[in-house]
Amino acid sequence: MSQHVAVVEWSRGDQPFSDNKYSRGHDWRFDGGAVVRGSSAPSAMIPPPLSEEAAVDPEEALVAALSSCHMLFFLAYARKDGFIVDSYRDEAQGVLGKDERGKVSITEIVLRPTIIWSGEKQPGAAAIADLHHRAHDSCYIANSIRAEVKIEPR
């Protein structure tokens, strides 16, 4: 198996801490050099500027990670089956709520991919459903979470 490392860095700087009015902004650093700005989601409890609206919050990151993982397997299976994908765009959405244990969690993620195909061999509805089924079944992120994952192709 393999290991995957992300470095998460936050620094208080000269801001107070005990008054709960510190920035939630932080950086995610990845091994290839990418840096992504992270923050808590803006909310009534942690409004801007304490949270950074332009940053990625952990809940969005989970939804994006699942969508990306599903897409990568979908593309691999489509290629293997002889189909040509020109574009893949997913408007994925996660739902934060209480789960069966009474804990606040991402309870559902809905993937809504729009796929543009080309070439002579075009997949029918059954082939597309099979590609999504195999992609979901293989996706490491989907296999790692408790949330229900729904796929609603467009």
Side-chain angles (χ1 to χ4, degrees):
M1 297 320 281
S2 59
Q3 291 187 351
H4 303 272
V5 177
V7 176
V8 177
E9 294 181 319
W10 174 87
S11 177
R12 180 176 61 84
D14 62 358
Q15 39 186 350
F17 189 74
S18 59
D19 65 358
N20 202 31
K21 293 185 179 176
Y22 57 91
S23 172
R24 274 40 171 207
H26 55 278
D27 291 324
W28 299 347
R29 297 183 184 280
F30 300 95
D31 59 1
V35 178
V36 175
R37 191 69 177 159
S39 178
S40 61
S43 67
M45 291 176 44
I46 307 172
L50 301 178
S51 59
E52 297 180 16
E53 292 179 286
V56 178
D57 63 65
E59 298 83 4
E60 291 171 325
L62 177 63
V63 172
L66 181 106
S67 175
S68 179
C69 182
H70 181 91
M71 178 197 69
L72 292 168
F73 276 106
F74 184 94
L75 294 175
Y77 289 131
R79 183 212 51 85
K80 186 176 180 181
D81 289 358
F83 300 115
I84 298 173
V85 178
D86 285 343
S87 67
Y88 183 110
R89 181 175 194 271
D90 187 3
E91 295 181 25
Q93 180 180 5
V95 176
L96 188 67
K98 286 199 175 180
D99 65 15
E100 70 282 355
R101 302 167 298 161
K103 304 236 180 227
V104 176
S105 67
I106 298 290
T107 57
E108 177 183 270
I109 297 175
V110 181
L111 305 181
R112 295 185 178 98
T114 300
I115 302 156
I116 306 297
W117 307 89
S118 67
E120 290 186 28
K121 184 177 180 184
Q122 294 283 309
I128 293 170
D130 181 61
L131 289 167
H132 281 300
H133 174 77
R134 288 188 284 156
H136 177 70
D137 194 50
S138 298
C139 175
Y140 314 131
I141 307 300
N143 290 326
S144 301
I145 64 171
R146 298 173 56 96
E148 178 181 4
V149 178
K150 295 181 179 178
I151 303 163
E152 300 174 352
R154 294 183 178 202

